[in-house]
Structures are given as C-alpha cells and as structure tokens.
Amino acid sequence: MSGAALGMEVVVVFFLALFLLHRYGDFRKQQRMVLFGTLLAWYLCFLIVFILPLDVSTTIYNQCKVDHKDHDLGPTLSPPPANHTVANSSVTPTKSDVTSCYKPWSYIPDGILPVFWRVVYWTSQCLTWLLLPFMQSYARSGGFSITGKIKTALIENAIYYGTYLLIFGSLLIYVAVHPELHLSWYELQTIGITAANTWGLFLLVLLMGYGLVEIPRSYWNASRHGHLLIKTYFKASKLMTEKADAEENLEDVMEEVRKVSESIKYNHPLRKYIDTILRKCPLDYQEKMGRNMDDYEDFDDKQNTYPSEKSLVKLHKQVIYAVQRHNRTRVQWQILLQQAIHLEDVAKNETSSTHQFVHSFPSSEPAGWFSRYVYTPSVEWYWECLLKRWFYRLLSVVLTLFSVAVVWSECTFFSTRPVLSLFAVFIQLAERDYNYLYIEMACFITIFFLCTCVYSTVFRIRVFNYYYLASHHQTDAYSLQFSGMLFCRLTPPLCLNFLGLIHMDSAISHQKKEPTAYTSIMGSMQVLYFIANGFYIYYPMLIVILTIATYFSLGTRCLNLLGFQQFMGDNEMTSDLIDEGKELIRREKRKRQRIEDGENRRREWKERYGNPREDFTARNRSSHEMKETSYSDSVASHTRQAKYSRSGSRAERDCIELLQDAEPLDFNADSLADDALDTESTRYSGSSAVLHLSSR
C-alpha cells in the first residue's frame, strides 16, 4: 500500500475540483484558458488539504523511528554477574518498551513528499501572484485581438505587480540592515514565503471568524421553516430588483449596439468588430438588428462620424458584462422561485393528516425508480416535515462544538506545557499508541472543517457585481479566476495554522520534533523574528472578536445603516421587502398555474378529438393516390375531371388549414384587468383581419 493512498487521493481530488467547476462554470461558453486556470488552482488547493493528513502520519512514524534509534544507541549497561539473581523475575516490560514502529497503511516513502509539496506550492504561488491576475484581466478585456487583450492585461496589472515588488523590497531591506543575518537564496526564498503567508493569514482569520459562526447558524436557521420562508421572500424582492436593473442595463447596451451597427455598414473596416459584438448579444436582439440592417448602403467617411476602435472595445466589454448579468439573474430567479414554492409546500404539508407529501406543481417528467420505490411521498413527508429539521439542529450543535474548540485552540496553541490546544491533545493521545488511522481521520476532519469555514465564506461573499460565485453555471470568468487566486493564497497559511494547532510546527511550538515535509519547504521563519514569534502567534487571537461580532450581526447592521438592504427581523424596510417578495411569488405561481392549466386543456383536447391535421393529411394522401390510379387507366376521358378535383381539393385544403391554425386561446384575467384598452384594440384589429380575409 506504499504510495497507493497518495495516488488514490490525487485522482479523487481531481474529480472533486472538476465537479465544483462544472457546477459554477460553463464548459460550453467560457474560454478554455479560464477553465484550465481555475481548475488547476482549485485542484492544487484541495490536494494540499487532502494530502496533509498523510504527511502528519508519515512524520509521526519517522519520529518513532528516530526515538527508537536513539534508544538503541544509548549507553549500554554491563551484563550482570553469573551468580546474580533477579529479585523479581515476574516483572514484565511496559508497553512503551515493547511497542515497535510499524508502517502506517498510507506511508509515503522518503523523498516523495518534499518534491511533491515543492511542486504543488510553487505552482500555486505562480498561479495566484502572476498568471491568474493576468488571465483575469485578459478574459475581462473587450479587445478584439490577442495582442490587444495582452496589452490591456499588462497595463491593468502594472500597479498590481509593483505593489508586490514594494512589499518584497521592504522585507529585503529589513534583512539587509541586520548584520547578523546573511542573505542567501534560502533566506530570500523564506522572505517571499513569509510575505505571502502573512498576507494570507491576515485574510484567513477574517474569513474564518465569519464562517465559524455563520455555518452552524445557517443550519440552525434551515431547521426553522418559517424563518427560512420569510428570508426567501426577502431574497425574492431583492433579486427581482436586481433582475429588473439587469434587464434595463441590457436594453440600454443593446440600443447602443443597434445605433453603432446601423452607422457602420458592411464594407466599413470596423464592421468585423461589430460582427464580433453582435455574436455576443442574445439571439432575439440579433434577429431584430439583422432585420433592420441595410447592407446595400455604402459608408461615407465625409458625411458620418464613426466610433473609434477604443470605444468599440469598451462597448464589447459592456456587452459581455450585461449579457452575463442578465442570464445570471434570470436563472437565479427561477431557482429562488422553485425554493419558495417548495418551502410553501412544506408549510402546507406539515398539517396534513395523510402523511403524504403533495407538490403544488408536480414534475412533468416520469418518476424514476428512486422516487417510486425509495423516496416515496410518504418518506418525503417524514423527511421534509419531521426528520430534516431535527437533523439540521443536531448538525448545528455538532458544528457549534467544533467552532468553540477551534476558537479555544486558536487562543492557546502556543502553550506547549501544559498542552491547552484541544486538537493537539487528541493527536498526542493517538500518537502514544501509534493509531495512524485515528490520527489521519482526526487531522482530516479538523482541516476539512477549517477549510469549510474559510472556503464557504469565499463562495458566499459578494463584492457588488464584480465578484460573485453563482451556481448552475452562472459564474463569470472574472469571479472564477478571482476565487482561484483566493484559494491559492489562503490554503498555505491555513495548513500552517492547522499544524500549529496540533503542535506539528516547530517554529511555533519550539519543540525538537521531526518536521513535516510541508513545513520543511517553508523554511525557518526565524529569519523574520517579529513575524514568527509575534504575528503568527497573537494575530489568530483576533478570531475571538470576529466571532463575537458575527454572532451579534454587527457587520449586517453596519451595512444596513449604510444603505445596503440586509435581512433584519426588527426592521420596517425588511418587513416591506418581505411583503413585496410574497406578492411576487404569489404572482409567479398564478402565472405558472395558468400555463399548466392551458397545457392540460390542450392535452385533453388532443386526447378527445385526436389530431385533425394528421387525419386530413392521411385522407389527402389516399385520395391523391386514387386519382393517380384513375388517371393512368383513362387519360383522355378524365383529364378535365382530374383538373377540377385537384383545384377543389386545394381550396378545401386551404380552408381546413386556416381553421387548424386557429388554436384555442387561454383566458388571461390579469392581462385583461391590467390593460383593457390594449385588449379592445387587439379585438378590433383581430375582427378587421377576419373581415378582410372573408372578403378575399
């Protein structure tokens, strides 16, 4: 099994990263470069998290071998005399004397992990500090050529790269002014790693402090169906406002595109850029603009003023952003509508005496074997109305205990005598018995919980409309690559913080232990003493203040005071938005109900009367064959009859097809009540059209 666990986790983590990228990205529409860069960043970060427990167990085994080797090389005692008798021969050796070091099932041979960590770490750092910022600007650029996009990306990242050089230069000067420190490639490498980890730890504590409180609270609130439904109404009101704003923005941008498209004709040198912009527009707008095109007109440089290439680049960028935002809000509205309808169904079914879950809008697709035999309506009722809330409450309590343990350990992990960090206590207890499976499971659960608190905050955070991770393939290229940058910057300090919690980082615990392969590539943090013994130890204590602020929703209250509408239960504005969202959901349900009733009537009509169009086609085909047969029997005598029969069948066919095209219309009460004048004008125009058709 040597090295098999490493290979297995490498494959599993790859498919996990691919699954998440498929959920948030769009494989069909987004650029391959964007998808590859994001996938590589997520994959490397997840790989570090999954492989680190194997590194811990391998290090403990290596430490065991070192301890036994030192014990064997200790001072040897002279053998007792021949006539010496043992006072008590029945004494048995202790467990520590006979315990031997055996290899864990996931043991990784020497020399593999240091190379592995070095490749993974430096690849992720090159991605986050060099490649991903460049690719981010490249993908967001509105340039029409590769050269133009590269030029724009370099200009946008000039200040970005200059900031890195300033920070690195400051640390370099600090080391240079100290004569006791000798600069070498190793020290320079350590300075770069320390600078990156310091920036990552600063952001890590902020995100972790939010996640430690918000994740348990979110599951507790999920068990309260009434609270969850009210919050969904609030989200529906805000999302509808955003959706309307996105539609208005798209219309404004499309109007500008239309004007530019009409001014630049087919033989203009800039027409190829217009065609590129039009291909990014929605299909309905493309059809409208295509119908209004007069390509036969030539352009005249003397009479018209034409936009520059720079303005077209800006317009191209606006089109990409407007279309992406419009599609995202439209999909999110459908998802939120489905969630609201489901929560309302749960509220209705809670009082059901039949214990059968009934949906307001059953799925039109046929039920699969899982719904027929396993997840039946009765099982669904017990899960949705009874068991789910208690499961979420139990999960919330467990996560709360984990959060308390993390906060306590973050404040006490620097104490080695006595050991106050709870995670260090658990690992040391398992280390005494060399229970490698328990060590790996404890490490994996702990680091997985820490990553969940940090990464979930990254997925939830939203910086206006510039950074937002939306599921169901609605995340833009800029947000995908920005998330990859955050992951690559947060994961290394997160792993170092975890190793400090379990006292496996000698730079913090100051214990003479075998270092892990991961900490060995980080170098000695003593090069920057004030960071190793100051910032890395005392800054994580700030997590106490952040968790308290998150628990009392201080950030939400501050945003609400600044004018950003947040969900506040005791706020008048929140109540108004809840009522508005409830009305929006009710309106959408009525619309969906009318559509479903119309489909049912059409289905009943078809089942009752069949399809007259198909019947007429069959009769027409049979009569045509009979006429062809009679025509072959007597050509001269039936020529005139055949001609009249064909003309009569054509007239009959026209009449029947005209009647077939007039399908029954659904009655729309809302549209009739909202705009009666339009209805009357439509009715009048329709009557005029019928009269005109009959006169012809």
Side-chain angles (χ1 to χ4, degrees):
M1 294 295 292
S2 178
L6 177 62
M8 181 176 61
E9 291 194 358
V10 166
V11 176
V12 172
V13 171
F14 174 78
F15 285 104
L16 175 62
L18 189 64
F19 169 76
L20 289 177
L21 182 61
H22 177 265
R23 177 176 175 81
Y24 288 91
D26 193 344
F27 288 170
R28 296 177 298 176
K29 297 181 180 180
Q30 289 175 336
Q31 300 178 6
R32 297 294 180 264
M33 180 185 66
V34 174
L35 296 174
F36 177 75
T38 307
L39 177 62
L40 184 60
W42 289 8
Y43 174 61
L44 294 178
C45 294
F46 296 160
L47 200 61
I48 295 175
V49 173
F50 276 78
I51 302 300
L52 193 60
L54 304 184
D55 190 5
V56 172
S57 62
T58 302
T59 303
I60 293 176
Y61 170 71
N62 294 332
Q63 181 66 37
C64 176
K65 291 194 301 181
V66 172
D67 294 341
H68 279 72
K69 184 177 180 181
D70 294 341
H71 179 74
D72 295 338
L73 296 178
T76 58
L77 299 177
S78 58
N83 57 356
H84 179 75
T85 58
V86 180
N88 188 3
S89 60
S90 62
V91 177
T92 58
T94 61
K95 183 178 180 179
S96 60
D97 296 332
V98 299
T99 301
S100 59
C101 298
Y102 61 91
K103 289 184 179 181
W105 70 278
S106 58
Y107 175 75
I108 300 175
D110 297 338
I112 294 180
L113 278 179
V115 177
F116 176 80
W117 287 131
R118 191 171 289 109
V119 171
V120 170
Y121 177 78
W122 288 112
T123 304
S124 63
Q125 294 305 299
C126 289
L127 281 172
T128 185
W129 299 107
L130 297 176
L131 296 180
L132 284 180
F134 176 81
M135 295 166 61
Q136 193 176 25
S137 301
Y138 181 90
R140 198 177 183 183
S141 173
F144 298 100
S145 62
I146 298 177
T147 306
K149 292 183 177 181
I150 292 176
K151 181 180 178 180
T152 304
L154 290 176
I155 294 175
E156 290 183 357
N157 289 276
I159 302 177
Y160 191 70
Y161 297 142
T163 305
Y164 298 157
L165 294 177
L166 179 62
I167 296 175
F168 184 76
S170 301
L171 295 175
L172 194 64
I173 293 173
Y174 171 80
V175 176
V177 297
H178 288 75
E180 68 275 7
L181 298 177
H182 301 283
L183 289 178
S184 63
W185 173 250
Y186 179 77
E187 278 82 12
L188 291 176
Q189 177 180 332
T190 304
I191 291 174
I193 294 175
T194 305
N197 290 337
T198 302
W199 190 96
L201 183 63
F202 177 79
L203 185 60
L204 175 68
V205 174
L206 298 178
L207 298 179
M208 187 184 297
Y210 177 82
L212 287 174
V213 176
E214 194 60 31
I215 290 180
R217 183 161 57 186
S218 64
Y219 281 103
W220 182 265
N221 291 333
S223 65
R224 303 162 55 194
H225 292 161
H227 176 271
L228 197 60
L229 182 58
I230 292 175
K231 193 172 183 179
T232 304
Y233 290 150
F234 177 82
K235 291 181 180 179
S237 179
K238 290 188 62 178
L239 185 59
M240 176 55 71
T241 303
E242 183 182 357
K243 182 172 177 289
D245 185 48
E247 292 175 352
E248 183 179 356
N249 183 31
L250 180 64
E251 291 179 358
D252 294 340
V253 174
M254 291 298 106
E255 179 65 21
E256 187 174 355
V257 172
R258 184 190 64 81
K259 294 179 180 179
V260 174
S261 178
E262 291 179 354
S263 63
I264 299 180
K265 302 306 178 181
Y266 72 99
N267 55 350
H268 195 280
L270 297 178
R271 184 63 200 182
K272 56 182 180 180
Y273 300 147
I274 299 297
D275 295 337
T276 303
I277 295 176
L278 290 176
R279 285 194 293 268
K280 303 295 179 61
C281 299
L283 294 178
D284 51 348
Y285 287 98
Q286 293 184 22
E287 294 176 357
K288 292 179 181 178
M289 296 177 189
R291 288 194 298 265
N292 296 330
M293 279 292 297
D294 293 330
D295 287 342
Y296 58 85
E297 296 182 3
D298 297 335
F299 76 94
D300 188 0
D301 292 333
K302 299 180 180 179
Q303 296 180 0
N304 298 327
T305 57
Y306 299 101
S308 61
E309 183 178 352
K310 186 177 181 180
S311 61
L312 291 180
V313 169
K314 183 179 179 180
L315 180 61
H316 187 203
K317 187 176 181 179
Q318 292 177 353
V319 168
I320 295 174
Y321 171 74
V323 172
Q324 172 66 30
R325 185 185 175 194
H326 175 262
N327 293 335
R328 187 190 71 222
T329 54
R330 180 174 52 83
V331 173
Q332 286 179 335
W333 172 253
Q334 296 298 328
I335 296 172
L336 188 63
L337 177 63
Q338 193 67 29
Q339 293 176 356
I341 294 176
H342 177 72
L343 290 175
E344 290 181 349
D345 290 343
V346 172
K348 293 179 181 178
N349 284 274
E350 284 180 348
T351 58
S352 175
S353 59
T354 59
H355 295 179
Q356 299 284 328
F357 197 90
V358 179
H359 294 272
S360 300
F361 301 97
S363 178
S364 58
E365 299 179 358
W369 66 270
F370 184 78
S371 301
R372 290 197 304 266
Y373 302 107
V374 180
Y375 198 62
T376 59
S378 179
V379 175
E380 185 177 3
W381 186 90
Y382 279 102
W383 168 249
E384 293 289 346
C385 302
L386 187 62
L387 299 178
K388 188 177 182 179
R389 64 175 61 185
W390 291 106
F391 173 76
Y392 279 166
R393 290 176 182 177
L394 179 61
L395 182 60
S396 176
V397 172
V398 173
L399 294 177
T400 302
L401 295 177
F402 262 99
S403 298
V404 173
V406 169
V407 173
W408 171 263
S409 300
E410 289 286 355
C411 297
T412 59
F413 71 92
F414 58 88
S415 176
T416 56
R417 292 184 182 179
V419 179
L420 299 179
S421 176
L422 298 179
F423 300 105
V425 172
F426 297 151
I427 297 300
Q428 290 179 5
L429 289 176
E431 186 179 354
R432 295 177 183 177
D433 298 332
Y434 299 104
N435 191 346
Y436 297 111
L437 181 60
Y438 174 82
I439 292 173
E440 293 174 0
M441 292 300 299
C443 290
F444 177 76
I445 294 175
T446 304
I447 195 172
F448 182 78
F449 178 73
L450 296 177
C451 291
T452 303
C453 295
V454 176
Y455 291 166
S456 63
T457 308
V458 174
F459 279 96
R460 291 183 181 184
I461 196 173
R462 178 174 181 177
V463 184
F464 299 103
N465 288 319
Y466 294 99
Y467 170 73
Y468 182 42
L469 289 175
S471 58
H472 297 81
H473 322 290
Q474 298 303 314
T475 306
D476 58 348
Y478 183 89
S479 299
L480 283 176
Q481 293 179 331
F482 190 76
S483 66
M485 292 166 53
L486 286 180
F487 282 2
C488 291
R489 297 179 189 182
L490 293 172
T491 304
L494 175 64
C495 294
L496 284 178
N497 182 258
F498 163 73
L499 293 176
L501 293 179
I502 63 175
H503 291 177
M504 294 293 291
D505 188 0
S506 59
I508 297 177
S509 63
H510 303 288
Q511 294 178 344
K512 293 183 179 180
K513 284 186 175 182
E514 186 76 13
T516 61
Y518 186 79
T519 55
S520 63
I521 69 168
M522 294 295 174
S524 177
M525 297 300 173
Q526 299 302 323
V527 175
L528 300 174
Y529 181 81
F530 70 95
I531 293 181
N533 295 329
F535 185 79
Y536 280 2
I537 293 178
Y538 297 106
Y539 179 72
M541 296 182 183
L542 186 63
I543 201 171
V544 178
I545 301 176
L546 294 173
T547 52
I548 294 175
T550 306
Y551 178 79
F552 290 102
S553 303
L554 296 182
T556 302
R557 298 180 186 275
C558 292
L559 290 175
N560 194 44
L561 291 176
L562 293 175
F564 299 97
Q565 298 171 352
Q566 302 294 318
F567 182 75
M568 304 287 296
D570 53 350
N571 193 352
E572 183 179 357
M573 180 62 69
T574 303
S575 301
D576 295 340
L577 291 176
I578 290 173
D579 295 337
E580 182 182 351
K582 186 183 299 184
E583 182 61 30
L584 289 173
I585 297 299
R586 187 180 296 114
R587 187 183 306 170
E588 291 293 332
K589 288 180 65 177
R590 289 198 302 265
K591 185 186 298 183
R592 181 175 293 188
Q593 186 66 45
R594 289 195 300 269
I595 294 175
E596 186 173 333
D597 293 342
E599 293 294 334
N600 292 334
R601 287 196 298 270
R602 292 188 183 92
R603 191 180 302 109
E604 292 177 359
W605 179 275
K606 185 176 180 180
E607 292 176 355
R608 180 178 299 179
Y609 299 104
N611 195 340
R613 188 186 301 272
E614 295 179 357
D615 297 339
F616 173 76
T617 304
R619 290 196 302 269
N620 188 23
R621 185 183 301 110
S622 61
S623 62
H624 179 74
E625 293 176 355
M626 293 176 60
K627 292 172 183 177
E628 291 295 333
T629 305
S630 61
Y631 178 80
S632 61
D633 293 339
S634 55
V635 178
S637 61
H638 293 85
T639 301
R640 186 175 304 171
Q641 296 179 4
K643 182 174 69 173
Y644 286 115
S645 63
R646 287 193 182 94
S647 61
S649 63
R650 185 179 298 109
E652 181 183 1
R653 181 168 64 252
D654 294 338
C655 295
I656 295 179
E657 288 183 354
L658 180 62
L659 292 176
Q660 290 297 324
D661 291 337
E663 296 182 356
L665 300 176
D666 296 334
F667 176 73
N668 194 335
D670 291 344
S671 62
L672 183 62
D674 293 340
D675 197 352
L677 295 177
D678 293 341
T679 307
E680 293 296 332
S681 61
T682 304
R683 184 182 306 156
Y684 176 77
S685 61
S687 302
S688 301
V690 172
L691 292 175
H692 178 69
L693 180 63
S694 60
S695 64
R696 293 181 60 184

